[in-house]
Amino acid sequence: MVLNLLFITTVIKSTFGVVTTGLWLIPLLLAAITYYRYDSVDPESRPIDQLNLHTEYDFIIVGAGSAGAVVANRLTEIRKWKVLLIEAGPDENEISDVPSLAAYLQLSKLDWQYKTQPSNKACLGMKNNQCNWPRGKVLGGSSVLNYMLYVRGNRHDYDHWESLGNPGWGYDNVLHYFKKSEDNRNPYLANNPYHGRGGLMTVQESPWHSPLVAAFVEAGREIGYENRDINGEKQAGFMIAQGTIRRGSRCSTAKAFLRPIRLRKNFHLSMNSHVTKIVIEPSTMRAHTVEFVKHGKVFRIRARREIILSAGAINTPQIMMLSGIGPKAQLEKHGIRVLQDLPVGENMQDHVGMGGLSFLVDKPVAIVQDRFNPTALTIQYVLRERGPMTTLGGVEGLAFVHTPYSNKSIDWPDIQFHMAPASINSDNGARVKQVLGLKESLYQEVYKPIANKDTWTIMPLLLRPRSRGWVRLSSANPFHYPLINANYFDDDFDVKTLVEGAKIALRVANAKVFKQFGSRVHQRSLPNCKKYKIYSDAYLECQARTISMTIYHPCGTAKMGPAWDPEAVVDPRLRVYGVRGLRVIDASIMPTISSGNTNAPVIMIGEKGADLIKEDWLHNPEYRAAAPKS
């Protein structure tokens, strides 16, 4: 095997030149993975793109992402129900399997490549003051583009949802669904009452760690935080990150939930299918047909029971508004007939982080792309499922801390840390600056001078923002991208909290344990922040507004709430108010954002949403009476 791999390397060298930089790693990996048919070692092969579709199904699910894949799996457990899953993008590729290459998937054909509206309060260091907002346009959705971090959020998040008038969404209820989908393979969590074994989604630590992450956890202890399982009894603390990986490779929701059902006779999947509209009968206000375009052909397929929107916090509200469900003024502006006046697209929330905190070290302990030997890395990854390529997008450590603005008597931290043994400079400008959309002048002045040097970073992120953004139509054309206003730092409390989080991050980086590496903060001011003393409160606020980073967690744009909530779009059973036969099951329904990375909560929403559908159609007399003949 090794000889074959070396032969492939030789071929690539002779074709493309000497393999000396990290960029040559990708063609080398592709050749090796293709040669060994690496994907075929999965117990299940890839899902089938169905070309001969029926004219109607019992359920049609729009979006095969973190929630939609789960819903499709669970609904097809009922053999008499015929289910169609529609996805706008293609299947995953070989590169998406490699955890450390997450950044290379962004701005690719697997990414919708959204951008926020220009801002004068945030994203000031990005081109045109716009933040890139990657969203998965692929089977598995954003679980294919994300950094795979498995974080459930805080028990108080879900108890708060319930207190807002959403019965059944408290922590004690949703914990069951987190455990149901989880197959946790970390031995120290075996028999833990907060974790599941045997579920479809594999969760574990990366098999490779840098020495910096152990120092990060110890630094947390120095400042008074325990090393703990942040998905367990308590959240405040530091830990080595867990992620959705399996045998060293990404475990997307497509791999976990769709591959096992590829041969179910009651399941059809249609990829590369762009949904343009949900057809609703105005006289009965029943959603009955999904209209989509595939390979230039228009399809209209009927749902006998329900249509489920799982297209995510951007596409779900866009499809709803195109279908006549949304704010009256917005729809009329674009000449769309208003069928149901609801605040669709409002209440949008995201975790915003402060990027750019870089700490230099004197020892070769960080990830420096140009230092790694591509052949050795590929052998480690393809043959042994080990090595730096198994890192979770580069993130190794997680922490949850309290700023002075939070109540420390309640275990509900207000800042999260992502720790990585690399920084913006670590790839010599090859990819990270493009993914962030950084202005070239900023990169050249601040990060180019330390390119390829050993560095690490802590990114503080705001867990519960007060600011709210929105998604709105740019036109009535379903192929035109919607307008996205992140509205970061609209409420000054948000940036003040993030500054306090950054000050704690600097304390962590200054801990004694990091002295062994000669760790020190990079002392070069951002061009637009030079008027402030570096790392003062005013400077940190300027940095937060300059390198404002989405953590890829948009949510809340079809808010779940009781009938008396004027902001609610769906009820606690996820049914759209005033429209029969239509539910939303994805991040859109979150009333408030969860305290941590949102992929695990969205999978939970998929699990619970599927159960709600089963309860209604199998046990509710009203639904059973309306059920079509099967």
Side-chain angles (χ1 to χ4, degrees):
M1 279 189 172
V2 175
L3 289 175
N4 288 333
L5 187 56
L6 291 174
F7 172 74
I8 294 167
T9 307
T10 304
V11 171
I12 292 177
K13 283 183 179 179
S14 63
T15 306
F16 298 106
V18 179
V19 182
T20 55
T21 71
L23 284 177
W24 292 115
L25 187 60
I26 290 180
L28 180 62
L29 265 171
L30 277 171
I33 290 170
T34 301
Y35 184 87
Y36 287 112
R37 294 184 301 161
Y38 186 72
D39 189 64
S40 68
V41 303
D42 257 334
E44 303 87 17
S45 297
R46 291 177 176 272
I48 300 164
D49 185 13
Q50 182 63 234
L51 300 179
N52 298 314
L53 298 170
H54 301 325
T55 56
E56 63 178 19
Y57 294 81
D58 290 294
F59 295 92
I60 301 177
I61 304 162
V62 178
S66 295
V70 178
V71 176
N73 182 293
R74 300 309 186 189
L75 292 189
T76 54
E77 290 173 345
I78 310 300
R79 294 185 180 182
K80 67 179 180 180
W81 288 350
K82 292 181 172 57
V83 177
L84 172 64
L85 177 63
I86 302 173
E87 168 55 44
D91 198 358
E92 303 166 272
N93 59 33
E94 289 79 8
I95 291 303
S96 69
D97 259 3
V98 186
S100 68
L101 297 182
Y104 285 85
L105 302 171
Q106 296 172 23
L107 304 180
S108 75
K109 69 174 185 177
L110 306 185
D111 178 10
W112 284 96
Q113 302 183 36
Y114 290 128
K115 290 183 183 293
T116 60
Q117 293 291 287
S119 171
N120 60 5
K121 295 181 179 179
C123 309
L124 304 181
M126 281 63 169
K127 296 171 185 175
N128 199 32
N129 292 12
Q130 292 178 284
C131 276
N132 289 338
W133 263 30
R135 294 283 86 200
K137 187 180 182 182
V138 57
L139 212 60
S142 295
S143 75
V144 175
L145 267 62
N146 69 2
Y147 284 27
M148 295 148 283
L149 301 171
Y150 185 80
V151 181
R152 293 175 175 177
N154 191 290
R155 72 161 53 239
H156 296 291
D157 298 330
Y158 306 107
D159 290 343
H160 179 58
W161 289 9
E162 190 163 51
S163 74
L164 295 174
N166 297 296
W169 288 92
Y171 179 73
D172 290 339
N173 298 104
V174 303
L175 177 60
H176 161 72
Y177 291 106
F178 280 116
K179 292 170 67 175
K180 179 180 181 180
S181 58
E182 183 185 14
D183 180 23
N184 197 296
R185 297 185 180 179
N186 283 117
Y188 69 89
L189 293 177
N191 303 316
N192 184 302
Y194 292 93
H195 288 280
R197 295 292 297 273
L200 294 171
M201 176 60 74
T202 306
V203 176
Q204 61 187 113
E205 290 178 10
S206 166
W208 184 90
H209 300 130
S210 76
L212 290 166
V213 71
F216 171 73
V217 173
E218 179 58 31
R221 295 175 68 92
E222 282 190 40
I223 69 166
Y225 286 92
E226 292 185 29
N227 172 204
R228 72 164 80 253
D229 169 23
I230 53 89
N231 292 312
E233 183 180 5
K234 294 182 179 179
Q235 187 182 46
F238 285 59
M239 77 175 294
I240 293 175
Q242 292 192 322
T244 51
I245 58 172
R246 179 186 294 166
R247 299 191 308 276
S249 297
R250 177 189 296 273
C251 183
S252 68
T253 56
K255 188 179 290 185
F257 293 93
L258 295 182
R259 295 190 185 189
I261 67 170
R262 62 186 291 270
L263 298 179
R264 283 184 184 169
K265 293 181 179 179
N266 60 339
F267 173 62
H268 278 176
L269 166 67
S270 183
M271 289 187 273
N272 299 299
S273 303
H274 189 116
V275 172
T276 55
K277 186 178 182 181
I278 305 299
V279 181
I280 300 165
E281 176 55 47
S283 61
T284 62
M285 285 303 292
R286 180 173 184 82
H288 58 78
T289 298
V290 178
E291 182 180 285
F292 61 95
V293 176
K294 179 174 184 173
H295 303 319
K297 181 181 177 182
V298 177
F299 291 79
R300 294 179 181 87
I301 298 183
R302 192 173 184 87
R304 287 191 289 260
R305 297 174 191 258
E306 282 192 25
I307 296 166
I308 298 109
L309 283 172
S310 297
I314 308 302
N315 296 94
T316 284
Q318 181 188 24
I319 292 168
M320 292 178 79
M321 288 186 279
L322 289 168
S323 307
I325 307 167
K328 182 179 179 181
Q330 287 295 315
L331 301 191
E332 290 179 341
K333 174 182 176 182
H334 298 293
I336 297 171
R337 181 182 179 183
V338 181
L339 296 176
Q340 185 70 2
D341 184 6
L342 290 172
V344 172
E346 302 298 318
N347 188 52
M348 188 172 72
Q349 299 151 67
D350 181 33
H351 290 134
V352 59
M354 188 184 85
L357 277 181
S358 299
F359 307 99
L360 291 152
V361 291
D362 294 329
K363 296 183 178 179
V365 291
I367 294 175
V368 178
Q369 183 167 292
D370 284 4
R371 185 170 63 218
F372 286 124
N373 181 293
T375 304
L377 277 189
T378 304
I379 289 173
Q380 274 188 300
Y381 178 72
V382 177
L383 302 185
R384 299 184 57 237
E385 300 166 358
R386 292 285 188 273
M389 306 223 68
T390 64
T391 59
L392 305 172
V395 176
E396 287 197 309
L398 296 175
F400 289 85
V401 300
H402 291 275
T403 74
Y405 293 114
S406 71
N407 183 351
K408 290 188 178 180
S409 67
I410 302 174
D411 180 48
W412 206 4
D414 54 349
I415 290 288
Q416 181 181 356
F417 291 155
H418 285 180
M419 174 270 167
S423 192
I424 293 172
N425 58 285
S426 299
D427 66 348
N428 197 19
R431 190 65 183 171
V432 175
K433 71 175 182 180
Q434 279 91 351
V435 166
L436 296 180
L438 281 182
K439 292 175 179 174
E440 185 64 28
S441 57
L442 185 155
Y443 178 82
Q444 290 294 330
E445 184 168 340
V446 180
Y447 297 105
K448 181 65 175 176
I450 58 171
N452 287 325
K453 293 187 181 296
D454 282 82
T455 55
W456 66 283
T457 189
I458 298 176
M459 179 166 54
L461 61 97
L462 181 69
L463 286 175
R464 289 183 297 284
R466 294 186 178 182
S467 305
R468 296 290 184 269
W470 46 254
V471 175
R472 293 175 185 165
L473 294 179
S474 59
S475 79
N477 187 327
F479 295 97
H480 289 174
Y481 278 13
L483 305 176
I484 302 169
N485 181 5
N487 213 22
Y488 295 142
F489 308 134
D490 181 60
D491 189 316
D492 282 343
F493 184 82
D494 289 352
V495 75
K496 293 182 187 301
T497 304
L498 196 51
V499 166
E500 292 299 323
K503 289 158 70 174
I504 298 172
L506 289 169
R507 282 177 56 204
V508 171
N510 198 41
K512 293 178 184 177
V513 68
F514 280 114
K515 303 303 180 188
Q516 63 184 303
F517 304 111
S519 180
R520 70 270 182 199
V521 67
H522 179 42
Q523 295 278 352
R524 186 167 290 233
S525 295
L526 297 172
N528 59 315
C529 302
K530 288 181 177 179
K531 57 186 174 183
Y532 306 114
K533 180 183 177 182
I534 195 166
Y535 301 123
S536 65
D537 285 19
Y539 179 88
L540 290 172
E541 176 174 341
C542 183
Q543 180 160 338
R545 294 184 184 277
T546 301
I547 308 183
S548 319
M549 291 179 60
T550 176
I551 314 298
Y552 321 117
H553 300 160
C555 66
T557 48
K559 180 184 177 183
M560 173 176 65
W564 46 260
D565 182 353
E567 296 181 340
V569 174
V570 301
D571 69 12
R573 300 190 73 80
L574 310 186
R575 300 170 298 196
V576 176
Y577 279 111
V579 183
R580 296 168 59 215
L582 183 63
R583 292 193 209 225
V584 176
I585 304 180
D586 61 22
S588 307
I589 66 99
M590 291 186 179
T592 53
I593 195 167
S594 58
S595 300
N597 305 72
T598 53
N599 193 51
V602 171
I603 293 170
M604 176 275 291
I605 289 168
E607 292 277 20
K608 183 171 173 62
D611 260 11
L612 292 174
I613 292 172
K614 288 178 178 178
E615 288 172 12
D616 284 342
W617 286 97
L618 297 177
H619 304 296
N620 186 324
E622 292 183 21
Y623 279 80
R624 295 183 73 176
K629 303 286 185 183
S630 296

